[in-house]
Amino acid sequence: MENNKDLSNTRKEEPKQNITEKDILPTLQDFQIFIDYIASNKVKLTKNRQELGKKDSFAINSLLSNSKDVEEPRYLQSYYPTISLFFHIALKIGIFEIDYSKSSVQYLMATSKLQQYKALNNYNKYMLLFKTYWTLLDFEDIYAETREVLLGFMCIEDAFMELSKATAGEKIVANMADSNYPFHLNNAIDRFFVAGGALIHHLSVFGFWAYEEAGGTDTADDINGTYVKTLTPTSLGISMMKGCLERPMKEYNVHLRQVYPKAFEKAYLKYFPPNVIDLKVINNVLENQKSGVQGDQDSTYIFKVSLNNQIWRRIRMPASSTFEDLHDMIQAAFDFDDDHLFAFFMDGKAWSHKAYWDERSGDKPSASKAVLHTLNLIKGKKFLYLFDFGDEWRFDVILERIMDKENSTQKAEIIEIKGQSPAQYPDWDDFEEEDDIDELEEDMMLDALRKLHEDVEKSISKRELELWKEIEAPFTLSNFLQGLTKSELTAIRQKLGLSGVSGLKKGELVEVLESQMEGLMKKTISQLDDNQYKVIKKAAKHNGIVEMELPINQVEFYRGYGVLFSGTINGQRALIMPKELISAFEKLDQDFQLHKKIEKNTEWIRITQGLLYYYGTLKANTLLDLLSKYTSRIEFTEYLDFFEVLENAREYYREIGHNEVGYFYYRVFKPEQVLEEHKKRDSLDYYPFSYDELYKAGIEGFVDKNTAFCNFVKFLMRNYTIPMEAAESLVEECVYLIQINESPQNMIDFLKEHLEINHIQVLQEVMQQLFSLSNNTRQWEIKGYMPSELATTEEKYLQPIQKTKLRTSSNDEKQIKIGRNDLCSCGSGKKYKRCCGK
């Protein structure tokens, strides 16, 4: 197999090549098959994902030339990358729309743009499809798993610069020196081959190249994990890549775009025959032509805004209104105070980037500039209104009706109300401690909780029986694999990156895994840290058997790689390494470079866990930047390797969480809120911890027992007859309550569940301890600082809470209850809900 060449020095600039109609026909023919099928069938979308179902996806796939090898309708649209690409392009152009007129089910329906598209010549069709893909589809969505590599670091541009210098028909081969380390890559093309699987496929649909897969996740939901082994550019692809390179990526795709590419097509015209592309016609199709279900500036929109099925409001809004105007009407309709930030999430998913925000939220699309009739809202459109980023009041909004000019009004009105508005801030005066719910309700709730607890316990017990069932020699890989379910075998296959075998029966899959496991062991070991490695080494050292009990998730971790299995031998629980793998491991244990890699992985994990322990939540790029300050710089070629190691740590230690906003410490309840607080403090650097402080904080179960923490523990032990472990547990929970901004009263109530606080003097002493603990706890929202270190800029953290009159348990003392809208008794002059009642 030939090696990947440095094309920059071996290729001369080739003459411009004409793209012929023959080059683009395969793309157009497949797209025509797709739209003809949708137009001639009543295609229902799935409820949750709103994509094509299994039967329709399978039927379309069987008609395409660029199809997946599937024998039965087992998968949804997302498994078929070509269909998924066409689906998103057709919706973005407006050839089809989602019919929201029926609440229970949504269908795709054709619009007038279908005929507009069909009327175009083939060259205009091709350029319309490619322009929509390259500039209007959000790469952050369709390449979610690899976007930071592909977009953040311009992997696409680097690869295009090299590949566009190739000769049409020349096979470019990945140059990976060690297949067990697929992420240790040294040039732009190799990085593109690893990170760009989905994008490479989509561009092959446009005729850029042919390619061969090397392996990957091969799951039914995602092709972003596919690695590419060879790529053969076409003359069309070389010309189109050159056109793409005439402008930087930030001027193309909507996710990065800073300047809209009005003259987008002009970069490509010289590669097509003269006068075959009409820019005006293409742009006319992409303009917002009204389909009859959209409104214009003289229309009136009727929205239904629902908190739940029993509480909703119907609101009439002029089409010239903005989302900020709609926000004002919702606030009035539900009697809220309009005292927090808000956002409208157009895909219905809280905290997605498809949103219009309160203008105080910073550099984001503003609700005050989002005029209703310019937003392509159609009848039946659903979205989410979220108010108060702390309490997160969530309202479902649906556009029920669009009234034309004759029936319109220029006045915003609340036209129908159902259900009483909930209290935005329930007043404590409205509740009695013992009468919140009646006895019957309480018994029902307790019964439900007991049943749930029993079900969980039964599920855990059942799994434990499966994990620790009695086993007998010989302890061969084949025997262990045969004892697993098909789903467990599939999980191992996916974790090891074996593709192309998803359709095998259980026995066939066992044979494939048995033949591949030993060779893939180096790759598996290279992603472990020192703790994970030591368990495997201990097993190998004791003839493959080590008697030890680990948490279930850690047992599952080793089983998931197929390197250690679990069972009971002569009444003792043990982890067992199949004998075929022992000798392979012993050879790897002599590999000095492998040990250096494990050492690096350990450092990555410990420092990452330490950073998240103190900062709460970090975006991925921020995490990488901070990590590079404490470790040797993480090179571009190591990014994917780092995130793979981090994913293993998440599964093994369960100290790290991950969602669309970034990575967070597992006890952070609202990572989005922590990031919002970080953003408010853009001018404040993250607290500069030392390497040793972070490395220590990265230990599983670490607690920062600073002076205030220890003093509180001593106070509890001195005043109550409880052991140190119990006192530390109580103080640790108080630290957590501080981190999540619980009020002083709630912290006192928590302590009263475990301690007797019967006199005002004791209460005051406890409050003094809480005050000291609060001001000397390193807090997530203020970037790892203690409030006492930021006294001049963070005064809100230094309320004189020792003056607050709080409830004790004594009948001799007057219990003072403060309404949330009353002035706070601490003397700040603020309402209680804005001060100590936060």
Side-chain angles (χ1 to χ4, degrees):
M1 180 166 59
E2 63 177 291
N3 289 330
N4 190 338
K5 301 175 183 179
D6 182 359
L7 301 172
S8 60
N9 297 322
T10 60
R11 304 289 172 219
K12 296 181 180 179
E13 182 66 27
E14 296 184 7
K16 294 169 182 161
Q17 304 168 34
N18 279 345
I19 296 173
T20 69
E21 195 165 18
K22 182 180 178 181
D23 295 329
I24 63 177
L25 274 178
T27 304
L28 300 181
Q29 288 169 347
D30 271 354
F31 187 72
Q32 190 66 45
I33 289 170
F34 173 81
I35 61 176
D36 285 347
Y37 181 92
I38 302 296
S40 59
N41 293 275
K42 193 172 184 180
V43 175
K44 183 171 69 173
L45 302 182
T46 61
K47 186 174 182 179
N48 293 329
R49 296 192 180 188
Q50 290 196 328
E51 62 178 22
L52 303 183
K54 296 177 182 179
K55 291 183 179 179
D56 288 318
S57 297
F58 178 76
I60 296 172
N61 180 69
S62 66
L63 300 172
L64 300 178
S65 62
N66 197 326
S67 61
K68 291 273 286 186
D69 185 14
V70 179
E71 296 181 356
E72 55 185 79
R74 297 172 54 195
Y75 305 117
L76 297 174
Q77 167 193 308
S78 52
Y79 183 70
Y80 304 90
T82 304
I83 296 175
S84 194
L85 174 67
F86 288 163
F87 176 84
H88 291 297
I89 288 176
L91 282 182
K92 184 59 70 174
I93 294 174
I95 293 174
F96 301 110
E97 292 177 338
I98 300 175
D99 181 3
Y100 291 100
S101 59
K102 297 181 179 180
S103 59
S104 59
V105 63
Q106 281 80 49
Y107 293 92
L108 277 186
M109 62 180 185
T111 73
S112 59
K113 286 192 179 181
L114 177 59
Q115 296 307 317
Q116 284 183 269
Y117 170 79
K118 288 183 176 182
L120 300 177
N121 71 38
N122 284 339
Y123 291 103
N124 283 331
K125 286 179 180 177
Y126 181 86
M127 188 51 64
L128 170 65
L129 299 181
F130 183 70
K131 178 176 182 176
T132 303
Y133 165 70
W134 199 242
T135 69
L136 300 178
L137 291 190
D138 192 335
F139 280 13
E140 186 179 35
D141 281 344
I142 57 178
Y143 305 124
E145 296 299 318
T146 54
R147 63 180 181 268
E148 287 170 355
V149 176
L150 284 171
L151 300 177
F153 306 101
M154 299 305 164
C155 181
I156 297 173
E157 288 180 308
D158 292 342
F160 277 17
M161 288 176 67
E162 294 297 314
L163 291 170
S164 63
K165 298 168 187 173
T167 301
E170 177 184 5
K171 182 179 286 189
I172 309 301
V173 183
N175 180 27
M176 299 181 188
D178 186 342
S179 61
N180 288 315
Y181 291 91
F183 305 123
H184 293 184
L185 313 176
N186 51 24
N187 63 54
I189 296 176
D190 281 346
R191 294 195 293 270
F192 188 55
F193 279 16
V194 169
L199 182 136
I200 288 172
H201 176 85
H202 290 157
L203 290 177
S204 77
V205 174
F206 281 102
F208 275 45
W209 43 58
Y211 73 95
E212 296 177 85
E213 294 181 7
T217 59
D218 192 35
T219 69
D221 293 321
D222 184 23
I223 64 164
N224 282 306
T226 301
Y227 309 146
V228 171
K229 180 169 63 177
T230 70
L231 189 149
T232 306
T234 63
S235 59
L236 176 148
I238 291 170
S239 297
M240 292 295 287
M241 283 188 284
K242 289 176 180 177
C244 292
L245 289 169
E246 291 198 15
R247 289 192 179 205
M249 195 69 187
K250 66 183 180 182
E251 294 186 19
Y252 283 142
N253 190 256
V254 65
H255 176 54
L256 293 175
R257 188 162 60 224
Q258 298 174 3
V259 179
Y260 188 82
K262 294 181 179 178
F264 169 82
E265 300 88 344
K266 290 184 179 179
Y268 305 88
L269 291 182
K270 56 192 171 187
Y271 302 110
F272 287 85
N275 305 317
V276 297
I277 293 179
D278 188 330
L279 307 185
K280 185 176 180 180
V281 169
I282 292 172
N283 289 325
N284 184 54
V285 177
L286 284 175
E287 286 177 0
N288 297 322
Q289 305 294 327
K290 303 303 177 186
S291 64
V293 291
Q294 294 178 319
D296 56 30
Q297 60 183 355
D298 296 319
S299 301
T300 295
Y301 291 1
I302 307 297
F303 294 99
K304 183 180 179 182
V305 183
S306 306
L307 186 60
N308 54 48
N309 290 336
Q310 301 302 316
I311 303 175
W312 52 262
R313 307 288 182 261
R314 192 165 275 122
I315 299 173
R316 179 162 52 210
M317 300 293 297
S320 57
S321 306
T322 66
F323 265 148
E324 185 172 55
D325 297 326
L326 179 57
H327 154 77
D328 291 338
M329 291 301 295
I330 295 173
Q331 289 288 300
F334 287 92
D335 302 318
F336 278 17
D337 289 348
D338 192 9
D339 53 353
H340 291 283
L341 301 180
F342 68 91
F344 290 90
F345 296 97
M346 304 312 293
D347 57 1
K349 300 174 183 177
W351 310 112
S352 77
H353 67 282
K354 294 181 178 179
Y356 296 95
W357 302 78
D358 188 312
E359 61 183 0
R360 296 168 293 177
S361 296
D363 187 21
K364 296 179 179 179
S366 174
S368 65
K369 297 178 181 178
V371 181
L372 297 181
H373 73 84
T374 68
L375 301 178
N376 301 325
L377 300 177
I378 64 173
K379 180 182 176 181
K381 173 65 177 174
K382 299 177 182 178
F383 51 96
L384 174 69
Y385 167 69
L386 192 151
F387 172 69
D388 186 347
F389 294 171
D391 288 343
E392 290 194 8
W393 288 92
R394 300 188 182 202
F395 299 82
D396 294 319
V397 185
I398 182 170
L399 176 53
E400 289 189 321
R401 186 180 173 193
I402 299 176
M403 301 169 64
D404 58 23
K405 182 177 181 180
E406 287 70 23
N407 299 304
S408 295
T409 177
Q410 293 305 304
K411 181 181 179 182
E413 293 180 287
I414 302 165
I415 58 176
E416 191 172 354
I417 293 174
K418 181 176 181 181
Q420 184 176 354
S421 296
Q424 182 181 348
Y425 302 109
D427 196 323
W428 288 354
D429 290 337
D430 294 338
F431 297 95
E432 294 294 334
E433 288 187 14
E434 303 300 329
D435 298 330
D436 289 346
I437 55 177
D438 60 36
E439 291 184 10
L440 179 60
E441 271 188 292
E442 184 176 6
D443 289 342
M444 291 174 63
M445 290 171 62
L446 289 173
D447 286 342
L449 287 173
R450 277 192 289 267
K451 187 176 185 309
L452 177 62
H453 179 72
E454 289 171 2
D455 289 344
V456 171
E457 288 293 320
K458 287 179 182 177
S459 177
I460 293 173
S461 297
K462 182 179 178 182
R463 184 55 182 159
E464 282 196 337
L465 289 174
E466 293 171 352
L467 292 176
W468 302 110
K469 62 186 178 183
E470 193 75 33
I471 58 174
E472 297 179 354
F475 303 128
T476 64
L477 183 58
S478 177
N479 284 347
F480 280 120
L481 293 176
Q482 290 286 357
L484 300 180
T485 65
K486 175 69 182 298
S487 61
E488 288 175 319
L489 293 171
T490 299
I492 293 175
R493 172 186 67 79
Q494 291 173 347
K495 210 164 189 179
L496 295 176
L498 291 174
S499 64
V501 293
S502 58
L504 297 181
K505 295 180 180 179
K506 178 180 174 179
E508 296 169 329
L509 186 53
V510 167
E511 291 179 4
V512 171
L513 289 173
E514 192 176 355
S515 67
Q516 296 289 326
M517 294 281 284
E518 187 173 339
L520 291 170
M521 197 167 189
K522 185 174 183 180
K523 177 184 175 182
T524 299
I525 300 297
S526 71
Q527 295 171 349
L528 304 181
D529 73 352
D530 191 54
N531 289 337
Q532 297 159 350
Y533 182 79
K534 283 178 178 177
V535 174
I536 298 175
K537 184 172 181 176
K538 188 174 182 180
K541 187 177 180 181
H542 293 82
N543 200 29
I545 301 175
V546 56
E547 294 179 358
M548 63 186 306
E549 288 196 38
L550 296 174
I552 288 181
N553 65 291
Q554 294 184 5
V555 175
E556 300 274 23
F557 174 82
Y558 292 113
R559 287 169 61 98
Y561 273 114
V563 66
L564 291 180
F565 296 88
S566 58
T568 299
I569 305 172
N570 298 325
Q572 293 293 325
R573 291 182 174 185
L575 295 177
I576 307 100
M577 177 182 285
K579 64 180 184 179
E580 298 95 325
L581 301 184
I582 296 175
S583 59
F585 176 82
E586 289 173 341
K587 291 178 183 177
L588 291 175
D589 194 39
Q590 306 303 314
D591 188 334
F592 174 76
Q593 291 301 321
L594 186 59
H595 280 279
K596 295 292 288 183
K597 180 65 171 59
I598 292 168
E599 185 179 316
K600 176 182 282 189
N601 295 345
T602 304
E603 183 181 53
W604 280 349
I605 293 170
R606 290 283 288 272
I607 297 298
T608 295
Q609 291 185 165
L611 289 167
L612 294 174
Y613 177 85
Y614 282 119
Y615 300 144
T617 308
L618 293 170
K619 290 183 177 180
N621 59 337
T622 307
L623 173 60
L624 285 169
D625 289 343
L626 290 170
L627 194 64
S628 293
K629 293 180 180 180
Y630 293 97
T631 66
S632 57
R633 180 173 178 78
I634 302 177
E635 298 298 330
F636 171 86
T637 55
E638 296 179 301
Y639 285 165
L640 289 176
D641 194 16
F642 166 73
F643 287 116
E644 192 76 28
V645 170
L646 195 58
E647 191 61 31
N648 277 343
R650 288 184 60 230
E651 182 181 346
Y652 193 83
Y653 295 110
R654 297 194 172 179
E655 296 269 311
I656 299 174
H658 180 234
N659 64 9
E660 65 274 9
V661 304
Y663 291 88
F664 53 91
Y665 181 59
Y666 79 104
R667 295 205 74 184
V668 174
F669 184 58
K670 295 181 179 178
E672 304 87 358
Q673 184 173 316
V674 174
L675 281 185
E676 284 293 328
E677 293 298 324
H678 287 184
K679 188 170 183 180
K680 292 175 186 176
R681 298 167 172 84
D682 275 343
S683 60
L684 179 68
D685 291 333
Y686 289 91
Y687 182 83
F689 292 100
S690 69
Y691 177 92
D692 288 343
E693 286 175 318
L694 293 177
Y695 198 83
K696 183 179 178 181
I699 298 173
E700 187 178 7
F702 172 80
V703 177
D704 187 358
K705 299 177 183 179
N706 59 23
T707 302
F709 184 101
C710 293
N711 286 342
F712 200 172
V713 170
K714 292 176 182 177
F715 168 82
L716 293 177
M717 293 176 65
R718 186 170 62 248
N719 288 275
Y720 299 92
T721 55
I722 56 175
M724 178 181 288
E725 184 179 350
E728 287 185 341
S729 178
L730 288 174
V731 177
E732 184 179 346
E733 196 61 25
C734 287
V735 169
Y736 177 65
L737 295 176
I738 290 167
Q739 293 283 22
I740 62 174
N741 292 320
E742 285 289 355
S743 68
Q745 180 65 63
N746 286 349
M747 285 187 266
I748 289 293
D749 289 343
F750 162 72
L751 290 173
K752 283 163 59 179
E753 292 175 4
H754 304 274
L755 307 169
E756 287 189 7
I757 304 177
N758 293 329
H759 302 285
I760 196 67
Q761 182 179 353
V762 176
L763 175 63
Q764 289 174 343
E765 291 176 353
V766 171
M767 287 303 301
Q768 287 287 354
Q769 293 294 333
L770 286 173
F771 177 71
S772 176
L773 186 67
S774 177
N775 282 296
N776 293 283
T777 292
R778 299 204 171 277
Q779 297 184 17
W780 300 328
E781 293 189 352
I782 51 176
K783 295 185 171 181
Y785 287 87
M786 300 177 185
S788 58
E789 295 169 333
L790 300 177
T792 57
T793 56
E794 300 285 340
E795 292 182 359
K796 67 178 180 179
Y797 292 94
L798 295 174
Q799 298 293 343
I801 58 178
Q802 70 272 27
K803 296 181 182 178
T804 306
K805 295 181 179 180
L806 298 165
R807 300 192 297 273
T808 70
S809 301
S810 173
N811 294 324
D812 299 328
E813 300 289 343
K814 184 179 180 181
Q815 296 187 9
I816 300 174
K817 295 185 179 180
I818 306 169
R820 290 186 61 81
N821 289 304
D822 295 339
L823 290 177
C824 189
S825 61
C826 73
S828 66
K830 300 179 181 179
K831 286 186 177 182
Y832 181 71
K833 67 184 180 184
R834 303 265 190 268
C835 191
C836 296
K838 286 182 67 177

